[in-house]
Structures are given as structure tokens and as C-alpha cells.
Amino acid sequence: MTDQTRPLSDSELPTFDRPVEIIENPYANANRNYTTQTHLFNEAIINKYNRSGPRYTSYPTALEFVPIADGMEARVLAEKDPRVPVSLYFHIPFCRHLCYYCGCNKIITKKNSDSGDYLEYLFSEIRHKRSLMQGDPIVEQVHFGGGTPTFLTDDELVKLWNFLQTQFTFSDKPTADYSIEIDPRELRPTTLEILRGLGFNRVSFGVQDLQEKVQIAVNRVQSEEMIQGVMTEARRLGFHSINIDLIYGLPHQTVDSMRNTVERIIDISPDRLSVFNYAHLPERFKGQRQINEADLPSPADKLTMLGNTIHALTDAGYQYIGIDHFAKPDDELAIAQREGKLHRNFQGYTTHGNCDLLGFGVSSISQIGLHILQNPTDLNDYQNLINAGKLPAVKVISARLPDLLRRYVIMNLLCHDYIDFKDVNARFSIDPMTYFIDEIRQLGEMQADKLVDMDAKGIRVLPKGRLLGRNVAMVFDTYLASKEGNRFSKVI
């Protein structure tokens, strides 16, 4: 019997309470030069460890969802600690155009009435959930995702935002984060101005690639002039942070064309960048069947694209945050990482990991205390539950006490490249070197390859291992061994 599977003694059980605030944060490292940490790009090492694994937006991961029991969502909402602030997520599942690379659960439509009807379902869900919650938790973060949230008309965006103000109290602190994903092709002349006037302070939009041939192949054609215009207008209006998404590995991309795209994006100068690996899985995602596999770059070229992109961004001063994400050093995300305050959840890397996450709409996910709940991924199923006056969650993960310990370890490794044994002992009343003896042994090969360093103080991911942080995290995942590798994306 391994340490991972044996029963825990009373002295080894992690504490149930939320982690206490520690004055001296062991994960703060303001002197670390994060902008040079990824220059040790080693193709042989990446190929050696490049296996499929979760992205760890939660632990346990979404593969551990089970059907929810009747009445459980109501109990979770009623027992939510009102002192814990909240992050609100709204899933808008509509798009006017199908991007062939995308694996999202979207509804392709051109009927504005569909989005108007959808708003009424959102309002019903919001009212129902809010009626069960105690007190008046403060909203510190809001994100509109999708799909294409700007599929909603300007009037509908205003209507939704104003309704939220009747249900929740919003923080007016400078650190409050109110963001929305946009499609530059779907913006009306006044949309950005209206969003900024409502209080949105961060915007994200997908570029993916600037080459027209690539854009045509993935059915997302948008000129560089359009993208530059959106950036200029967002900056004029005072959005605090602007994110751009890129994808490497798309059809017709070459090493040179990707290098050119990255150089032009650096000139546009977004505050944050997400650089994703395209995973071609046409058997799972219908849209990808429109892509000719023969047009895709080779795995070797993809790896070269990644290496060139990392070098270009870090040379330009961007800080590598982790798992595909980069930010300028003065961006809140980069500052939070250096101060040891970065978190990771279903919204990705975030500065508001102290919040309970409340998700609304089809396929949305909530994370409240020990529980992760998901709404139906089918719009008709979602609407039928709302029409029946029921709460919409259909799946749940309820973390066990040992899960909280492993979640803490995994998230600190992915956010701060470090796990401090003294800190873990103080928070969870265990001896980490004894409890994780099997995991420490498994990391021996990575230590020999200088990806990690381990001693009596803790485990640190070294610069050479930062791109493979997910591999380090996987060692601590007790659920992973029973999962099929092809259900995950590859690390690179």
C-alpha cells in the first residue's frame, strides 16, 4: 500500500478550515527575475516529459464530476460563508461564426431574440441562487465569457449589468476585476464605451493569428487594422488590462509566419497574452473536421514556434506566469505572482482566489467552499430546469480533506513554482516529507534533469522546469493514474 492510498491517521488529516493568513508569505519572491526564467528552453527535455495531463483549473479536476443529489445545490448555497467575497461568471453560449479550431459548447445563431430569451433564464437563475444565500457577500470579480458575450446587444449588456446591481453589492476597490471576452468583429460603435461606463475594467479578445491564409482556414478573418483599432479604443477609454489570445499549431502556420505574428502583437503591446497549443481532435469537436490535417504544422515546427514565442515575449519584457500565460511586469497578474498572491481556478490565473465562484448559465461552473458544481452543457436541459423552478446544477465534486491539501500543493507549484514544507505543516498539521515520500521519490528524475530542486525546506520548480510545471503537479494528483491520457491535452 502506497502513501497515496493508505488510510490517514487523525494526526495526518488536513485541517477543514480555510488556510490562515500568514504574515510572512513564503511564496513571495519580489526579487526573482521572472522575465528571464524561460530562456532555458530545452527541446529534448520538453519532448521527454511532454505527456497528456490536466490543466488544473481545479483539484480534483472536472473529470471527477458525479451526478448531484437532490437538494444539494440549495444546501451548498445556504451554507456559503457570507464573509467570503464572490466572483461571478456568466456564460453566454452564442456566436455568429464557428471558429473551426474551437472546442467550446457554442450555439451558432443570428437571432438576437435568442439572446434576449436567454437573459430571462439567467435572471431566474440569479434570483433563485441569491434568495438562498445568507448575508450580503461582496462581489470582487465579474467575468462574461462564452461563446461571444458581445453577441448580446448593447441594450442587453446594460440590462444584465443593471440587474446584477439589484442582486449583489459590488466592490468599488481599485483591485476589483470586471472583465469580458469580446469578438472584435461583433462590436458595435458604442459597445466598448458602454462597457467601460458600466464598470468593466478588463477586456480580452481572440486574435489567434494575423496571417490571412491561417484566418481563412480557421474561419476567423479579422484584419490587423481592426485589432489595432480595438486596442487603441480600449486604451483611450481607460481599460486597465487588455488580453490577447494566440494559438500555435493552426493550419498553414509556419515558423516564420508565427514569428511575424508575435512580433506584430508585441508592437500592439497587450498587457497580457495567452498563447495556446492547438490540439487537433476532430473526433471530439465537430468544427475541427473542417480543418485539413495535412495543412497543420509538424510537431517539431510547433515546438520551434513555442520556443521562439517564449523568447520573443520575454525579450520584450513580458513575465511568464505559467501554463500559456504572459503579462507585463506592471500588470496585476504579474505583481500578484511576485508577491506570492496568485491563484488558479476555473477562470485561469487570477488575483481573486479568495472568492467563492458563482457560475450562471449553460455549462457554467461554481466553486463554493468544498464543492464544485456544474450546470448542464445542453441549452435545452438548462432551460427545462429553470422552467421547472429548479436549481440548474447537474454535477458536483465535493472535495475530501486530503484533496484540500493536494489542491494547495498543486496550485502553489503552478502559481509560484514552490511548495514550502513549513507552510504546509502549519496549515495542515502534517509532516510533508513523510506524507509525500512517494511523490518526492517520483520527482527524483526531474531533480536529476534540473527541473526541480528539493531539500528539507520544500520543492522548487527551477527555470528549466517552468514550462513543465503541469508535469510536476501531476505527481501529486492521486486521481490521474486511473484516467486515460487521451482525455487530456498535452502539456506542450
Side-chain angles (χ1 to χ4, degrees):
M1 182 177 296
T2 68
D3 185 70
Q4 294 183 27
T5 58
R6 65 178 173 79
L8 300 177
S9 67
D10 291 342
S11 63
E12 291 177 316
L13 281 173
T15 57
F16 188 91
D17 296 333
R18 290 174 174 270
V20 297
E21 190 69 27
I22 295 179
I23 296 175
E24 293 186 5
N25 187 336
Y27 305 105
N29 200 335
N31 294 323
R32 182 172 180 181
N33 190 351
Y34 279 93
T35 59
T36 64
Q37 293 301 301
T38 53
H39 275 267
L40 288 173
F41 182 87
N42 187 307
E43 184 173 340
I45 287 292
I46 290 173
N47 280 322
K48 176 179 178 179
Y49 289 98
N50 189 20
R51 67 186 185 95
S52 300
R55 296 181 62 82
Y56 293 114
T57 50
S58 70
Y59 185 82
T61 69
L63 289 182
E64 304 310 319
F65 273 123
V66 296
I68 194 169
D70 288 343
M72 183 174 184
E73 185 174 11
R75 291 194 299 274
V76 169
L77 289 165
E79 293 170 1
K80 175 192 152 26
D81 187 342
R83 298 168 297 177
V84 177
V86 295
S87 171
L88 307 179
Y89 173 76
F90 299 89
H91 187 77
I92 312 299
F94 303 105
C95 284
R96 296 187 194 280
H97 313 278
L98 173 64
C99 300
Y100 296 155
Y101 56 80
C102 188
C104 293
N105 179 37
K106 299 179 180 179
I107 297 165
I108 311 302
T109 179
K110 294 185 178 180
K111 299 178 182 178
N112 284 332
S113 60
D114 290 346
S115 59
D117 293 343
Y118 185 71
L119 280 187
E120 296 305 319
Y121 285 96
L122 280 181
F123 293 164
S124 294
E125 181 185 2
I126 295 165
R127 288 191 196 97
H128 195 168
K129 288 183 175 179
R130 186 67 186 91
S131 70
L132 296 168
M133 295 166 56
Q134 304 292 320
D136 187 23
I138 302 298
V139 174
E140 291 188 353
Q141 186 178 44
V142 176
H143 183 66
F144 285 15
T148 304
T150 47
F151 180 93
L152 298 178
T153 68
D154 291 350
D155 287 344
E156 287 169 342
L157 288 166
V158 172
K159 183 178 180 180
L160 175 55
W161 188 263
N162 287 342
F163 177 76
L164 294 176
Q165 307 300 310
T166 70
Q167 301 295 307
F168 297 97
T169 299
F170 281 60
S171 170
D172 58 2
K173 294 180 179 179
T175 55
D177 183 350
Y178 305 136
S179 64
I180 184 170
E181 299 171 16
I182 65 169
D183 183 338
R185 300 169 298 174
E186 301 302 328
L187 290 177
R188 282 75 59 184
T190 57
T191 303
L192 283 178
E193 186 173 1
I194 287 172
L195 290 171
R196 187 71 186 103
L198 291 175
F200 285 91
N201 54 24
R202 188 164 66 83
V203 65
S204 177
F205 58 98
V207 172
Q208 320 313 354
D209 192 282
L210 292 177
Q211 308 298 319
E212 185 177 16
K213 187 176 183 179
V214 177
Q215 293 181 352
I216 291 172
V218 299
N219 199 36
R220 190 182 181 98
V221 179
Q222 49 192 1
S223 69
E224 186 174 345
E225 290 72 24
M226 175 189 292
I227 294 163
Q228 180 67 71
V230 171
M231 288 285 296
T232 300
E233 178 69 0
R235 293 204 185 284
R236 183 187 71 80
L237 292 169
F239 283 90
H240 300 168
S241 184
I242 303 171
N243 178 80
I244 280 180
D245 291 344
L246 297 178
I247 298 178
Y248 65 96
L250 294 175
H252 300 299
Q253 275 182 341
T254 66
V255 170
D256 287 340
S257 74
M258 185 64 185
R259 180 189 293 112
N260 184 259
T261 287
V262 172
E263 289 174 353
R264 287 151 68 188
I265 291 298
I266 288 172
D267 289 339
I268 293 174
S269 192
D271 302 285
R272 301 179 187 179
L273 274 158
S274 302
V275 185
F276 298 110
N277 167 30
Y278 172 66
H280 189 59
L281 300 169
E283 67 280 3
R284 290 177 57 187
F285 305 124
K286 291 183 179 180
Q288 293 187 0
R289 297 169 193 171
Q290 305 298 317
I291 291 177
N292 184 355
E293 191 167 351
D295 295 333
L296 297 174
S298 68
D301 281 351
K302 284 180 66 176
L303 195 56
T304 301
M305 290 178 197
L306 175 62
N308 290 346
T309 299
I310 290 168
H311 290 152
L313 291 175
T314 52
D315 284 347
Y318 284 90
Q319 178 173 316
Y320 177 65
I321 302 299
I323 307 187
D324 314 319
H325 286 70
F326 299 80
K328 289 183 175 179
D330 60 352
D331 187 88
E332 289 182 351
L333 211 61
I335 294 170
Q337 185 174 57
R338 295 195 302 272
E339 293 182 350
K341 299 177 181 178
L342 189 64
H343 300 272
R344 186 165 175 79
N345 61 19
F346 282 101
Q347 294 182 359
Y349 286 106
T350 176
T351 58
H352 292 271
N354 59 311
C355 295
D356 281 329
L357 174 61
L358 298 177
F360 301 91
V362 62
S363 79
S364 68
I365 292 177
S366 300
Q367 187 165 358
I368 305 170
L370 297 174
H371 308 286
I372 303 171
L373 311 97
Q374 184 177 29
N375 286 356
T377 57
D378 179 82
L379 181 61
N380 289 329
D381 291 343
Y382 170 75
Q383 291 174 325
N384 289 337
L385 287 167
I386 299 297
N387 285 334
K390 296 181 179 180
L391 290 167
V394 293
K395 297 179 181 179
V396 66
I397 299 170
S398 293
R400 303 174 303 117
L401 297 182
D403 293 333
L404 300 183
L405 165 62
R406 291 179 179 272
R407 177 190 299 174
Y408 188 75
V409 169
I410 287 171
M411 295 309 168
N412 273 295
L413 286 170
L414 292 177
C415 292
H416 304 117
D417 305 319
Y418 183 54
I419 188 68
D420 184 277
F421 288 161
K422 184 177 180 181
D423 169 61
V424 173
N425 174 264
R427 293 173 184 266
F428 296 101
S429 301
I430 63 163
D431 174 13
M433 293 187 70
T434 301
Y435 187 86
F436 291 120
I437 187 62
D438 285 349
E439 289 81 355
I440 290 170
R441 288 170 179 159
Q442 290 178 55
L443 289 172
E445 187 173 4
M446 290 187 183
Q447 186 173 35
D449 285 332
K450 295 183 169 51
L451 304 185
V452 301
D453 185 37
M454 299 182 289
D455 56 26
K457 293 182 179 180
I459 301 169
R460 183 178 297 280
V461 180
L462 298 175
K464 191 176 177 181
R466 292 200 71 212
L467 290 176
L468 296 164
R470 281 167 65 189
N471 295 80
V472 182
M474 282 189 268
V475 171
F476 294 88
D477 185 344
T478 58
Y479 298 92
L480 188 59
S482 62
K483 304 302 177 186
E484 297 177 8
N486 61 10
R487 299 189 69 182
F488 301 105
S489 63
K490 278 199 170 185
V491 172
I492 301 297

